[in-house]
């Protein structure tokens, strides 16, 4: 077997050498490439993909060192129905996951991977999720036959020799990936090899391994991200008493210079990247970014919750991103970035819906055809991959192995009705219930019915590696683990309310979300008023700074409205949903649901809400 460097020179870790040798025997690649993680390696791989016609180098004047890829039209997003949790017992995967018997699945995978890399290079990527050496970080080894995956992992993770040097005798998470397209002798490769008919994204939580076959896109293939940092990590976190969450992490500083850190969980394509890099419309307020998708949180000696971002880059939704809506994301992707399924302009730059008011002329759309007004130029789940350190507001503690202390936890989803702009949980148990009750209209981030409302507890529905009922239990008991008196406050937000005609959003969103963050910031210090309602505490209209927004009184009322009839239905809907967990549903959730029901009915009978002002 032809190696770029002798294996023994590259690593002394016996388990790693065995892992690599076993997978060579199984996948039968043409040769093996052990990654170093250097810029030269990245450039060489990209150059080769340009030569092979798989990538287009973008205009170096406009977007230095950046590349365009278009995927197979069948391979454009995560495939949840092909994602499996293969725990020993079915009950440990729970009703929200696809479970499969681990032995049967192993046989299926061994058959699929047998010879799957024939005619291709097998790349070995050592990577660290989290700063190398942090007690919160964990190491993975991804074996893949996709150079596109290697280049994305260069940006999304800390990877290469520095990780191998650190690994020594430590354990690592085994991540196996193949696009599932072996090449016969003299067979010409396709531009985006994949096997859409046979996609398997499989997790073995007990042996902490991941096997992904048939897809080259995003979370299906960049195995450090959803597969490791959420599905496998959530099972590790449950066992070891920490949290692995689908959350952004941001720093927020008020005009007086006081700084806090918040985390927020919204389902896929519901605004995490945007909020993580928010450019505040209120003078004097500052946001800094730690992460835009995943948070690992552990309790430190001070009894508080501290968070790190396990990733090193952003894999962000392109459509809708503009200098107006997300200035800092646009700055982050000005160079050294990878673009997948966006449109190509005639001067070899990228474009997507929402980037500019006017469409450039003569574009090639994401399918490689001449763009016409009838079709989308970019796929709705087109993505950019950009280094986090290019974000102009990256936080100074982004690389801090300790992480940052968390003062507030925010949940949210895409709801055109029912859920108000913002409300606050009464306490930790109620806050956990808010997380459990997240539901959201589906987006293009996963294959499915776009726009359909679905329950997505904690925005973790596709990402929880174990029984969601046990996950609720883990959260319900987590307050007892934090010995600090100041537990994070918990909030729920909805940027996506629509008016009766369902035309536009009634809240301006984006930069103006700082107005809601300001209220939360001041609630953490008990410095601003609130109104107690049946569902939680909401701002009084005068507690929310809406100066200069030109919102009518009617709109403001609608933004903060609690329609008790609709909430009565919402409670029934939640009760119905939670019944899928049968007798595993924790008492704490049942108790919170009953309390919510009682409060709603009581308020309905009074039809007048008590108001508290501090
Ligand atoms: P994933 O990477 O899939 O986890 O998505 P995400 O949660 O990071 O979502 P992102 O910030 O990329 O936003 C997804 C879409 O929602 C984009 O098209 C945004 O333009 C849009 N969006 C984000 N924030 C807001 C907001 O405050 N208001 C409105 N109306 N749209 C928003
Ligand atoms: C998401 O779908 O939540 C993403 C994109 O962040 S992916 O990495 O494909 O999961
Ligand atoms: Mn995400």
């Amino acid at each position: 077997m032809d190696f770029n460097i002798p294996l023994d020179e590259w690593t002394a870790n016996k388990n790693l050498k065995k892992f690599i040798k076993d997978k060579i025997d199984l996948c039968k690649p043409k040769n093996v490439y052990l990654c170093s993680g250097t810029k030269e390696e990245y450039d060489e791989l990209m150059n080769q993909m340009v030569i092979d016609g798989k990538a287009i180098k973008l205009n170096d004047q406009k977007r230095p060192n950046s590349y365009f890829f278009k995927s197979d039209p069948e391979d454009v997003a995560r495939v949840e129905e092909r994602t499996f949790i293969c725990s020993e017992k079915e009950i440990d995967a729970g009703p929200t996951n696809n479970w499969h018997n681990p032995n049967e699945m192993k046989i299926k995978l061994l058959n699929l991977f047998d010879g799957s890399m024939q005619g291709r290079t097998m790349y070995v990527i050592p990577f660290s999720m989290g700063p190398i050496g942090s007690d919160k970080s964990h190491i993975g080894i991804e074996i893949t036959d996709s150079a596109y995956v290697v280049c994305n992992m260069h940006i999304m993770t800390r990877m290469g020799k520095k990780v191998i040097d650190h690994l020594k005798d430590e354990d690592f998470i085994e991540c196996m990936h193949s696009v599932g397209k072996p090449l016969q002798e003299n067979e010409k490769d396709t531009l985006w090899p994949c096997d859409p008919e046979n996609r398997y994204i499989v997790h073995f939580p007990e042996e902490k391994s991941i096997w992904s076959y048939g897809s080259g896109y995003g979370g299906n293939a960049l195995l450090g991200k959803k597969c490791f940092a959420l599905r496998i990590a959530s099972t590790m976190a449950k066992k070891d008493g920490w949290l692995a969450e689908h959350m952004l992490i941001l720093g927020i500083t008020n005009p007086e210079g006081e700084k806090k850190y918040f985390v927020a969980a919204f389902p896929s394509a519901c605004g995490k990247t945007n909020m993580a890099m928010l450019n505040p419309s209120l003078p004097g307020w500052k946001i800094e970014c730690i992460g835009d998708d995943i948070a690992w949180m552990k309790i430190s000696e001070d009894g508080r919750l501290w968070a790190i971002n396990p990733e090193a880059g952003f894999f962000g939704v392109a459509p809708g991103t503009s200098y107006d809506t997300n200035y800092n994301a646009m700055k982050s992707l000005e160079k050294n970035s990878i673009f997948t399924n966006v449109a190509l302009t005639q001067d070899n730059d990228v474009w997507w819906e929402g980037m500019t008011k006017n469409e450039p002329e003569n574009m090639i759309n994401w399918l490689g055809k001449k763009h016409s007004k009838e079709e989308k130029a970019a796929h709705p789940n087109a993505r950019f991959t950009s280094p986090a350190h290019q974000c102009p507001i990256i936080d100074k503690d982004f690389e801090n192995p300790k992480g940052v202390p968390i003062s507030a936890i925010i949940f949210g989803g895409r709801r055109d009705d029912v859920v108000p702009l913002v409300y606050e949980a009464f306490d930790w148990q109620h806050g956990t219930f808010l997380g459990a009750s997240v539901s959201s209209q589906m987006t293009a981030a996963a294959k499915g019915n776009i726009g359909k409302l679905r329950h997505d507890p904690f925005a973790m529905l596709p990402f929880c590696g174990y029984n969601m009922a046990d996950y609720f239990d883990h959260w319900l008991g987590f307050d007892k683990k934090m010995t600090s008196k100041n537990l994070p406050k918990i909030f729920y937000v909805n940027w996506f309310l629509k008016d009766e005609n369902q035309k536009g959003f009634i809240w301006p969103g984006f930069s103006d979300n700082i107005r809601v963050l300001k209220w939360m910031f001041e609630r953490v210090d008990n410095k601003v008023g609130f109104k107690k309602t049946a569902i939680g505490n909401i701002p009084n209209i005068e507690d929310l700074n809406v100066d200069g927004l030109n919102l009518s009184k009617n709109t403001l009322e609608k933004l903060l409205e609690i329609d008790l009839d609709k909430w009565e239905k919402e409670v029934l809907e939640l009760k119905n949903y939670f019944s899928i967990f049968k007798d595993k549903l924790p008492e704490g959730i049942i108790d919170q649901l009953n309390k919510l029901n009682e409060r709603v009915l009581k308020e309905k009978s009074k039809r007048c809400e008590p108001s508290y002002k501090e």
Side-chain angles (χ1 to χ4, degrees), residues 269-274 293 319 383 414 495-496 505 509-510 513:
C270 288
K272 287 183 299 302
T273 301
N274 277 267
D293 200 49
R383 300 253 169 184
R414 203 176 265 269
W495 312 140
F496 300 95
F505 299 116
F510 303 104
N513 292 334

Side-chain angles (χ1 to χ4, degrees), residues 328-383:
N328 293 309
M330 291 300 285
K331 294 302 283 181
S332 309
L333 55 80
E334 279 181 351
K335 55 186 176 191
N336 307 320
S337 295
I338 301 171
F339 298 87
T340 312
N341 288 347
V342 302
L344 194 63
T345 64
Q346 58 182 346
D347 57 353
N348 259 11
D349 197 8
V350 290
W351 193 83
W352 46 76
E353 276 68 21
M355 186 204 263
T356 52
K357 286 227 166 55
N358 298 322
E359 285 186 17
E361 302 277 314
N362 297 324
M363 283 189 293
I364 305 291
N365 69 16
W366 72 277
L367 289 161
K369 291 192 289 197
K370 192 169 171 351
H371 172 57
S372 71
K373 295 260 178 320
E374 291 75 50
E375 284 175 307
K376 289 242 187 281
H379 185 276
N381 191 40
R383 300 253 169 184

Side-chain angles (χ1 to χ4, degrees), residues 77-78 80 156 217-220 222 225-226 230-231 246 266-269 272 292-294 311 315-317 381 383 443 445-446 459 462-463:
R78 283 184 295 102
E80 294 179 7
M156 293 306 296
Y217 204 88
N220 299 335
L222 313 177
K225 201 172 174 55
K226 299 299 161 62
L230 288 178
R231 298 194 192 97
H246 191 204
F266 310 147
S268 300
K272 287 183 299 302
D292 78 326
D293 200 49
I294 298 175
E311 302 190 280
F315 184 64
V317 178
N381 191 40
R383 300 253 169 184
T443 65
F463 309 123

